[in-house]
Amino acid sequence: TTFPTNKQWELDDTRIQSFLTTKGLTAVKDPSRVYYNVSTVGTGTDVITKESTIIVKYTGRLLDGTVFDSSTDGTFSTTLNTVIPGWQVLTKLKAGRKMRFFIPSDLGYGTAGSYNQLTGTYAIPANAVLDFDVEIVSVKN
């Protein structure tokens, strides 16, 4: 049963749940409203904070499967305080861990989406739910 909603985050939550059900996937809903599934636990011991420098391999997709960004060579380095809010769920991880997570639009690129200056198109449309595969390669505190 679906109920009408006028709050984008509620619509996104319904879209994520429907996607998981359709694909036969299971995921935990974090208090942040990001859904995640850990596929490899990992053996790292360093705690990840918003200030930690992490090196990750990742692929970002829209729910329709369109890949909008990917870095799988193990060279992408970032801190969680410089990326979209939905990535804060990575503070639950340790080095070596692999996880798939689903970010509601308000914790991603929101109503603005992400515009690609080079192609003149929206790489990520407004109100898009994001689907990421991430592997934590290393953590430096």
Side-chain angles (χ1 to χ4, degrees), residues 39-78:
S39 59
T40 302
V41 175
T43 57
T45 56
D46 290 327
V47 173
I48 297 174
T49 69
K50 291 180 185 180
E51 292 78 30
S52 300
T53 298
I54 57 172
I55 295 177
V56 299
K57 295 179 182 179
Y58 73 91
T59 299
R61 293 176 298 273
L62 304 176
L63 287 185
D64 69 4
T66 302
V67 173
F68 60 81
D69 196 12
S70 183
S71 178
T72 57
D73 62 4
T75 62
F76 180 76
S77 176
T78 191

Side-chain angles (χ1 to χ4, degrees), residues 67-126:
V67 173
F68 60 81
D69 196 12
S70 183
S71 178
T72 57
D73 62 4
T75 62
F76 180 76
S77 176
T78 191
T79 57
L80 295 181
N81 57 10
T82 63
V83 292
I84 58 174
W87 273 51
Q88 302 301 324
V89 75
L90 295 182
T91 58
K92 299 183 175 317
L93 302 185
K94 308 276 191 214
R97 189 162 280 192
K98 294 181 183 178
M99 181 169 91
R100 184 172 183 182
F101 57 103
F102 301 88
I103 301 175
S105 62
D106 65 310
L107 299 175
Y109 293 92
T111 56
S114 178
Y115 190 74
N116 183 327
Q117 296 284 352
L118 295 175
T119 63
T121 60
Y122 279 91
I124 301 168

